[in-house]
Structures are given as structure tokens and as C-alpha cells.
């Protein structure tokens, strides 16, 4: 992938960009193979090397007249990366209109060194159908009237921006967003259509960064599950229901568990619209009572499943599908489940040009 920002020394986020992509894949395959061991490995799944990122987390800096959208340098000053080639085309195309809005609405970029200003971040998510979710992260509600005043002009420029909101982050902290979300459009659900499944994403909700590869991940999970033909499935850390809704079948009891009530609401609505035989509950996946399903799916954050591994090992689950974004914690968790043997695995490259790797592992009861 060619990147003018990298070539100019303005951004070094893509640490592996100078490594040929086939070599990147081979290195990641070795890392996940070391973590999982000798199992039946399917060929790595990957998408395009550029234009794959469906979400842009842009730090706003500079001035009202000349705002930057990108990252900060070591001194806290803005580096503009509005044309980052990692982002999907629709996300990149929205940046000029967002820059104009900042100037027109006089949204003062937040200065980290001076700890003053209002607009901290602009977060843009693109759906596979080309629709957008746009979130403005503000220090306070002071700029909300000006933002609302010019919202119509932004929507004229970006008619495919179906979800717009403001998020308040008062603290001077290394955070992307705060707890309070203020809707600016009636619609607050972005439809993320993967395969033939519509997943519904709310502002602040988690979704896989690479829609193309996420679709491949869910297809693979569905294929493996259909071959196992379990009567019951528990999807822990289910989020908006990506795995659960792909694994749902008329003769299969599927339950998703997630701590985020907003994500569960979206998953329930998606299931109802699809007519899927899946139910979703708000709960702590590490303390869930659904470990005795025929198949348990876990898709934890980078820290892994921790104490849940021992409980899964002692459960009556015949199979476990573990989707991991961290080979180190995956290896630790597999070692804590000696009664469950890894039998099948596949690498999914969600993050070209860096060292992160996603891997799906199927385990079966010994």
C-alpha cells in the first residue's frame, strides 16, 4: 500500500507497511500457529490491503479556520490525515464536509497542550451499503447550538449520513469518547449488512473494523457450526449479535450475552427484523450460566477470557468457538482449558500493515 503520509514521515501507525503483504500474512500465520499448535489450518482470510477500515477516529486540532483531522504529534499538535488510505472510500470522502462544518459552526478544536477548546474528536463509521454514522466528541454542551444550526447543511452535503450524534467528554484524559451521547438525528442505528445479516450499530457500540474480513469470519463460523449441528449455542461477549445471528437456525437454541444494554437492544431488534431464532440478554459473560450449551462462542477483548477458561473447561460444552485478537492471551486461555482440544483454526487479517492478528479456533471436548 502506498501512503504519502508514511512516506513524508507524518505518520508511523502502520508499522509493517514496508513489508510485502504476503510476508505480513506469513508472519501472522506463524504467530497464531505458535499460539494454537498443530491443528487443521484453513488458508488465511484477508481482504484488500487499502480502503478496508470502516471506522475513522480522527483527533481534531489546529484552528477554526484550518482544523486538522488525524492524530497528534508528541507535542500535542495536530497532524492532518484526512485522506488516510486505510479508511473506506465513503469515510474519506466525508472529511472535506466535516472540515467545512467545523469552520462554519465555529467549533473550536480542543488544544491538548493548553487544555482548552471544544471539539476533541470526529468519529466516522461507514456501513457496507455506504451509509455513515458521524459522532462529534465535545468537551461540553456549549457548542451544541451551533452544531445543530449547521446540521442541515452537513446533511445536504452528506445525504448518506444517517446517524449523527454528539458525545460529551469533559475530562482532559487520553480517552476517545465520554459516557453521555446526545442524538442529533432521529435515526440512531446504523445498519451494517454482512453476508445476508443486518447488524444494527448504535453510537459507541463495538463493531469489527474490517467489514469484508468480518463477513468472512462470520461465514466461517457458520459453516463450522452447521457441520457440528449443535442443538444449543451460547454467544458470550456477543456485542450486536454478529456470531449469534449468523449461527441462528430454526432447530437451534441460540442465546447471546453482553454487558452493554444498548448492544443487546440492537441485537434484539436485528433478530426480530430477521425473524431469527436467537435471544439476547444483558449479563456478565464471565459469570454467565450458559456454559453448558452444545457450542459456546467467545469473542473477548484483547485481555482474553481469564477465569472463564477454567469454568468452560469444567462445563458440559462439547465445543467452543474462540475468536481472538491477541495470540498471547489466546495461548494462555487454551492452556487453561486442557479438557478442550483445538482441532481447527483460521487466521483472519483484520488489520493489514500492523502486527495485530484475529484467529478463529474450534475446540472440542476430549
Amino acid at each position: 500500500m502506498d501512503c504519502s503520509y508514511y512516506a513524508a514521515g507524518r505518520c508511523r501507525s502502520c508499522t509493517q507497511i514496508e513489508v510485502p503483504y504476503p510476508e505480513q500474512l506469513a508472519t501472522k500465520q506463524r504467530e497464531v500457529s505458535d499460539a494454537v499448535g498443530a491443528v487443521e489450518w484453513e488458508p488465511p482470510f484477508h481482504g484488500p490491503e487499502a480502503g478496508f477500515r470502516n471506522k475513522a477516529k480522527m483527533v481534531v486540532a489546529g484552528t477554526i479556520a484550518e482544523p486538522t483531522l488525524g492524530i497528534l504529534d508528541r507535542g500535542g499538535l495536530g497532524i492532518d490525515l484526512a485522506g488516510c488510505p486505510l479508511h473506506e472510500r465513503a469515510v474519506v470522502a466525508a472529511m472535506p464536509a466535516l472540515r467545512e462544518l467545523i469552520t462554519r459552526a465555529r467549533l473550536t478544536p480542543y488544544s491538548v497542550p493548553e487544555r482548552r477548546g471544544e471539539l476533541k474528536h470526529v468519529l466516522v463509521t461507514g456501513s457496507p451499503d455506504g451509509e455513515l454514522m458521524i459522532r462529534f466528541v465535545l468537551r461540553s454542551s456549549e457548542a451544541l447550538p451551533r452544531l445543530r444550526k449547521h446540521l442541515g447543511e452537513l446533511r445536504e452535503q452528506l445525504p448518506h449520513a444517517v446517524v449523527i450524534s454528539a458525545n460529551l467528554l469533559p475530562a482532559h484524559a487520553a480517552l476517545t469518547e465520554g459516557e453521555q451521547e446526545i442524538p442529533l438525528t432521529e435515526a440512531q442505528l446504523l445498519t451494517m449488512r454482512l453476508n445476508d445479516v443486518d447488524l444494527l450499530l448504535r453510537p459507541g457500540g463495538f463493531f469489527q473494523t474490517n467489514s469484508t474480513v468480518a463477513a468472512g469470519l462470520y461465514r466461517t463460523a457458520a459453516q463450522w457450526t452447521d457441520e457440528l449441528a449443535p442443538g444449543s449455542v451460547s454467544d458470550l461477549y456477543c456485542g450486536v449479535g454478529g456470531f449469534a445471528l449468523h449461527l441462528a437456525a430454526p432447530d437451534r437454541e441460540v442465546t447471546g450475552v453482553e454487558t452493554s444494554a444498548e448492544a443487546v437492544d440492537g441485537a434484539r431488534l436485528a433478530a426480530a427484523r430477521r425473524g431469527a431464532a436467537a435471544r439476547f440478554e444483558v449479563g456478565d459473560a464471565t459469570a454467565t450460566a450458559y456454559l453448558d450449551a452444545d457450542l459456546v462462542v467467545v469473542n473477548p477483548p484483547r485481555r482474553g477470557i481469564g477465569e472463564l477458561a477454567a469454568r468452560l473447561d469444567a462445563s458440559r460444552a462439547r465445543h467452543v468457538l474462540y475468536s481472538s485478537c491477541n495470540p498471547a492471551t489466546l495461548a494462555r486461555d487454551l492452556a487453561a482449558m486442557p479438557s478442550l482440544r483445538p482441532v481447527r483454526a483460521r487466521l483472519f487479517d483484520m488489520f493489514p500493515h500492523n502486527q495485530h492478528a484475529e484467529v478463529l479456533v474450534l475446540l472440542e471436548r476430549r
Side-chain angles (χ1 to χ4, degrees), residues 127-129 190-199 207 211 215:
S127 79
D129 293 334
L190 183 67
T191 300
M192 305 293 287
R193 188 187 310 274
L194 298 185
N195 305 309
D196 64 341
V197 177
D198 286 353
L199 303 173
F207 200 85
S211 296

Side-chain angles (χ1 to χ4, degrees), residues 10 59-63 66-81 109-113:
R10 298 175 66 186
V59 179
V60 182
T63 64
E66 296 184 0
T68 62
L69 300 173
I71 59 175
L72 299 178
D73 65 15
R74 292 183 178 180
L77 301 179
I79 298 175
D80 193 83
L81 303 177
Y110 185 75
S111 170
V112 171

Side-chain angles (χ1 to χ4, degrees), residues 40-208:
E40 177 190 344
W41 282 96
E42 295 195 7
F45 188 98
H46 66 91
E49 297 177 39
F52 59 84
R53 232 186 126 82
N54 58 32
K55 185 173 185 177
K57 299 180 180 181
M58 311 302 279
V59 179
V60 182
T63 64
I64 290 175
E66 296 184 0
T68 62
L69 300 173
I71 59 175
L72 299 178
D73 65 15
R74 292 183 178 180
L77 301 179
I79 298 175
D80 193 83
L81 303 177
C84 175
L86 294 183
H87 295 143
E88 291 180 351
R89 185 176 301 176
V91 172
V92 174
M95 294 299 161
L98 293 171
R99 197 193 306 274
E100 289 178 23
L101 174 72
I102 294 170
T103 301
R104 203 164 45 234
R106 300 195 63 78
L107 303 176
T108 308
Y110 185 75
S111 170
V112 171
E114 298 175 331
R115 298 194 178 194
R116 66 182 182 184
E118 285 299 318
L119 183 59
K120 294 185 173 184
H121 302 95
V122 174
L123 312 178
V124 184
T125 301
S127 79
D129 293 334
E131 294 182 331
L132 295 176
M133 174 190 291
I134 301 173
R135 303 170 66 209
F136 297 92
V137 181
L138 302 166
R139 186 180 67 166
S140 73
S141 59
E142 183 272 332
L144 276 175
R146 299 194 302 279
L147 181 55
R148 286 194 172 102
K149 177 182 177 181
H150 293 278
L151 202 60
E153 299 164 52
L154 178 67
R155 299 193 74 180
E156 287 180 5
Q157 290 181 281
L158 301 175
H160 50 299
V162 297
V163 178
I164 305 176
S165 66
N167 178 276
L168 300 188
L169 177 60
H172 178 82
L175 299 172
T176 302
E177 59 193 74
E179 296 181 0
Q180 184 178 358
E181 198 80 23
I182 302 171
L184 299 177
T185 53
E186 183 177 354
Q188 286 293 291
L189 287 170
L190 183 67
T191 300
M192 305 293 287
R193 188 187 310 274
L194 298 185
N195 305 309
D196 64 341
V197 177
D198 286 353
L199 303 173
L200 303 177
L201 180 64
R202 291 184 184 275
F206 170 78
F207 200 85
Q208 296 284 6

Side-chain angles (χ1 to χ4, degrees), residues 1-12 17-18:
M1 180 185 75
D2 292 326
C3 177
S4 60
Y5 300 117
Y6 185 91
R10 298 175 66 186
C11 177
R12 284 291 187 266
I17 196 171
E18 296 185 53

